[in-house]
Amino acid sequence: MDATLREKPRQGWAGLWNISFGFFGIQIGFALQNANMSRVFQTLGASMDDLPALWVAAPLTGLIVQPIIGHLSDKTWNRLGRRRPYFLTGAIFAALALFVMPLSPAFGAPLLFAAAMLWVLDASLNVSMEPFRAFVGDMLRTDQHSAGYAVQTAFIGAGAVVGSIFPYFLEQMGVANVAVDGGIPDTVKYSFWFGAFALFAAVMWTIVTTKEFSPEEMAAFGEQAETDTGQPIRALAAKTYISSAVWMAAGLVVVLLVQSLDLQKEMLLLGALLAVYGLLSAIAISMAKKGQAANMLSSIVGDFAGMPDVMKRLALVQFFSWSALFIMWINTTPVVTQYVFGSSDTASAAYNEGANWVNVLFTVYNGVAAIAALALLPVLSRKVGQVMTHSICLTLGALGFLMFFFVRDANTLLLAEVGIGIAWASILAMPYAILASNLPQAKLGIYMGLFNVFIVVPQLLVATVMGQIMLWLFPGEPIWTMLFAAAAWLIAALSMLRVKAAIPHENTHA
């Protein structure tokens, strides 16, 4: 082909649709997981105090999978393409996990089996999801990045609406919402099976309708498939082992505190993660000092240490943003069933009615997010910029969480979900739109994977630390978690001011 430097072709709405439609199916899977796994775990015998430990699978798999998949997808090229092999692999295993999840009661250890399937499901969803973020950057020219992420966010919201409302929809159609034997209700079973089919079909749509640019075409666009990895590796080789020792010591301290203060055992995972990261960073530093640059560990650790400044500042915002979201996903069902519908008995009609209302609430916030992504965010960002847009939206979401603390009427909580939905739309679009203009396009996979570390680390902290805090301060009172969520989003909103200082000429296009 002609090697003359040229731009990528401009995508029309059909192209934007096809590029991100797979995310519609992926988000159906996430929505079913987020709105129903606490219900499934409680139905299978888990107590309120068990939920954070059972949910720890989700962030842990993301922490491990996303940087690895990002690194690999940057370097992959085969007959299927660069990112599409990972879309397909993740979709197959996620669909299988969704299909067998409702069959957990048939196994000898149903709660353990359900937890294992959550690991498989979340890992597989992450395998498919992570390359989709980089896929937008691969397929679109720079002036279409914001539009691409807005469309992707709209599909995320739409998919979450479908996944969240489906159990409630089935109940209205006459499907049993309470199992006679106290097991998983038919509304949940059929929703998961529907989700398995929808996820696979949507991802296949993107795979079939899009053709990735070859390495030669990317080179012609001025975007090489590889970038110089020497600088991050040299920076890594120049580091001492002190930071690695600090991480390992911190992990040991956490483990000793768990033993001496009789803390919840899931906090051992936090200590183990700190120690393992310290060990891996020491190994990566050692490899870099020996000149062994051609390995995944050194590349990931080197890129992590050499993140662009804007990415580092956004990391703090992500940390608090996703802390609140994980609190919401774990605790909305216990809060609504206990405080609004008046029951914590998973076999009762009131509990299951409340659990289905949570699906309605999640449908509303995701529906609002889908609309806000295309209607509100572009207008607001043109007026005040992307940074202030994100700050304003996070503040509205914090007000939504505060409503949960004070409101005891199911219908009024719908208003709270409007604020949360606006914040959710911004979380899914604004940080990525900001990053898209400040990251090297050829390393979008690894940087997007590393950026997602700051999504999963706060979730791990919530899963390990929040349970202990609640046990100490508010045992049996999950309503207080909503105050923690509100405070987290307010901190994230204020932290955007640091991001603004790192962008001298902010892009004001949505």
Side-chain angles (χ1 to χ4, degrees):
M1 63 173 291
D2 182 9
T4 303
L5 186 66
R6 57 189 179 87
E7 286 188 313
K8 296 174 185 175
R10 187 174 184 83
Q11 296 283 350
W13 278 105
L16 294 174
W17 174 290
N18 293 337
I19 287 167
S20 289
F21 187 72
F23 228 127
F24 173 73
I26 292 171
Q27 199 59 34
I28 289 176
F30 272 120
L32 288 168
Q33 169 186 299
N34 294 339
N36 294 283
M37 284 313 301
S38 286
R39 179 182 188 178
V40 169
F41 287 147
Q42 286 185 296
T43 300
L44 296 176
S47 69
M48 215 10 250
D49 294 335
D50 292 332
L51 292 182
L54 292 167
W55 268 92
V56 78
L60 183 59
T61 51
L63 181 66
I64 297 170
V65 168
Q66 294 206 19
I68 294 174
I69 295 300
H71 173 82
L72 293 176
S73 69
D74 277 341
K75 299 178 180 301
T76 294
W77 183 260
N78 57 33
R79 290 171 57 188
L80 197 55
R82 186 185 189 189
R83 315 291 182 187
R84 291 184 300 171
Y86 300 94
F87 300 166
L88 179 60
T89 302
I92 291 172
F93 284 97
L96 289 173
L98 282 169
F99 185 80
V100 301
M101 181 78 76
L103 305 178
S104 298
F107 290 81
L111 186 58
L112 180 61
F113 182 82
M117 285 301 98
L118 177 58
W119 280 72
V120 174
L121 174 61
D122 204 86
S124 303
L125 290 173
N126 275 288
V127 168
S128 281
M129 180 188 73
E130 199 286 328
F132 261 102
R133 294 293 191 191
F135 194 50
V136 172
D138 291 346
M139 300 299 296
L140 300 180
R141 42 197 280 172
T142 302
D143 62 356
Q144 285 197 294
H145 282 167
S146 295
Y149 286 115
V151 171
Q152 191 174 90
T153 298
F155 274 127
I156 291 171
V161 166
V162 174
S164 296
I165 198 63
F166 213 72
Y168 180 82
F169 170 76
L170 290 178
E171 182 189 15
Q172 301 308 306
M173 295 295 291
V175 178
N177 190 46
V178 179
V180 177
D181 59 357
I184 297 175
D186 286 346
T187 51
V188 177
K189 289 181 181 178
Y190 296 152
S191 294
F192 274 58
W193 293 338
F194 160 79
F197 170 78
L199 185 154
F200 185 76
V203 172
M204 284 302 300
W205 178 278
T206 290
I207 291 173
V208 170
T209 60
T210 57
K211 179 181 181 297
E212 295 187 72
F213 297 119
S214 69
E216 293 76 20
E217 288 173 313
M218 293 294 282
F221 299 143
E223 297 179 7
Q224 300 291 337
E226 295 284 347
T227 59
D228 176 27
T229 59
Q231 195 280 329
I233 296 299
R234 287 192 295 272
L236 190 63
K239 292 174 68 71
T240 68
Y241 294 101
I242 294 177
S243 61
S244 301
V246 169
W247 284 109
M248 287 188 279
L252 179 60
V253 168
V254 171
V255 171
L256 293 176
L257 287 175
V258 170
Q259 299 297 329
S260 61
L261 300 179
D262 195 26
L263 304 180
Q264 288 187 299
K265 299 305 181 186
E266 57 263 27
M267 290 190 67
L268 290 172
L269 176 62
L270 177 61
L273 286 172
L274 293 172
V276 168
Y277 176 74
L279 177 61
L280 292 177
S281 67
I283 294 172
I285 291 171
S286 176
M287 288 180 172
K289 287 181 181 296
K290 295 176 182 178
Q292 299 174 2
N295 66 86
M296 182 168 60
L297 179 60
S298 293
S299 295
I300 292 175
V301 174
D303 286 328
F304 185 78
M307 288 186 298
D309 188 48
V310 171
M311 185 171 165
K312 291 179 181 177
R313 296 185 184 214
L314 274 172
L316 182 65
V317 178
Q318 291 291 87
F319 178 88
F320 287 105
S321 298
W322 285 84
S323 294
L325 287 167
F326 202 60
I327 288 172
M328 177 183 72
W329 292 329
I330 293 178
N331 293 288
T332 300
T333 294
V335 167
V336 171
T337 54
Q338 181 174 333
Y339 294 91
V340 179
F341 286 81
S343 177
S344 299
D345 179 5
T346 60
S348 69
Y351 175 91
N352 284 283
E353 184 182 358
N356 266 13
W357 189 251
V358 171
N359 283 288
V360 175
L361 295 176
F362 281 19
T363 299
V364 170
Y365 92 74
N366 283 297
V368 168
I371 296 170
L374 297 178
L376 176 63
L377 297 185
V379 175
L380 194 57
S381 63
R382 279 195 296 268
K383 290 183 178 295
V384 300
Q386 294 171 334
V387 171
M388 287 306 299
T389 293
H390 196 38
S391 184
I392 291 169
C393 292
L394 288 169
T395 302
L396 292 174
L399 294 176
F401 282 130
L402 283 176
M403 285 187 66
F404 270 87
F405 190 77
F406 295 105
V407 171
R408 296 295 178 267
D409 176 70
N411 290 317
T412 306
L413 287 178
L414 295 172
L415 181 60
E417 296 297 336
V418 173
I420 292 172
I422 292 172
W424 176 229
S426 190
I427 288 169
L428 292 173
M430 288 297 107
Y432 296 99
I434 292 170
L435 286 178
S437 302
N438 294 279
L439 297 179
Q441 295 296 303
K443 298 189 76 173
L444 275 181
I446 181 59
Y447 276 131
M448 290 298 184
L450 290 172
F451 190 59
N452 283 322
V453 167
F454 302 104
I455 292 175
V456 298
V457 165
Q459 295 179 54
L460 282 170
L461 289 175
V462 169
T464 55
V465 177
M466 179 61 73
Q468 185 66 59
I469 292 174
M470 292 300 297
L471 193 61
W472 277 341
L473 301 179
F474 311 109
E477 296 289 340
I479 191 66
W480 291 91
T481 61
M482 294 301 167
L483 277 186
F484 285 100
W489 268 3
L490 286 174
I491 294 171
L494 291 173
S495 298
M496 285 303 295
L497 299 178
R498 295 181 66 253
V499 177
K500 188 175 182 64
I503 308 176
H505 305 289
E506 183 189 348
N507 179 9
T508 57
H509 297 290

